[in-house]
Amino acid sequence: QVQMVESGGGVVQAGGSLRLSCVASGRTLINVDMGWYRQAPGKEREFVAMTRWSLRGYNSEYAHSAKDRFTISRDNTRNATYLEMNSLKPEDTDIYYCNVHVPSQVPVDYWGKGTQVTVSA
């Protein structure tokens, strides 16, 4: 089992910045994908950013809405992933969830409880 705790959400004005953190525990997280999704009430959870593991190393992926504004990073020594969000827009208002995806023969996903991000106009 993997437990994750997100932090760093809050209220910010449009154009501002926030840095989300997610610290995981429960297993070694070197050979897994770690990333972020977001979800608004009544809507489906959507992909934001991910660092994907492969035998050749890590590769970062971003949703179109996050490219050029958000930066994902990870620190395997702390079992942590971070999402630096700049130039925030009101449409970025959502609950942000940390995700750990274990790409095994039977893939497994773990989720944090989420952190609220509110961007005021």
Side-chain angles (χ1 to χ4, degrees):
Q1 274 288 19
V2 176
Q3 295 82 39
M4 292 101 81
V5 178
E6 301 103 331
S7 61
V11 180
V12 65
Q13 286 190 330
S17 299
L18 284 174
R19 184 175 187 251
L20 305 184
S21 300
C22 170
V23 179
S25 60
R27 61 156 282 171
T28 302
L29 296 177
I30 293 175
N31 56 342
V32 301
D33 304 338
M34 293 186 75
W36 297 88
Y37 285 71
R38 65 187 186 185
Q39 187 172 24
K43 291 190 176 180
E44 286 192 5
R45 195 166 291 189
E46 67 175 19
F47 170 76
V48 178
M50 182 75 65
T51 55
R52 297 203 185 275
W53 172 83
S54 74
L55 291 175
R56 288 171 291 182
Y58 296 103
N59 186 47
S60 296
E61 296 180 5
Y62 295 91
H64 179 74
S65 60
K67 262 183 187 174
D68 300 325
R69 297 189 301 127
F70 296 0
T71 302
I72 189 170
S73 60
R74 67 192 281 170
D75 183 346
N76 287 338
T77 65
R78 293 186 168 86
N79 274 357
T81 184
Y82 307 96
L83 187 67
E84 185 77 34
M85 304 188 295
N86 299 313
S87 303
L88 283 162
K89 306 174 182 179
E91 51 264 43
D92 294 318
T93 296
D94 270 327
I95 299 175
Y96 284 69
Y97 295 91
C98 182
N99 169 258
V100 167
H101 175 75
V102 183
S104 57
Q105 217 169 12
V106 180
V108 180
D109 281 282
Y110 298 97
W111 297 93
K113 292 184 178 180
T115 184
Q116 175 72 49
V117 171
T118 302
V119 184
S120 60

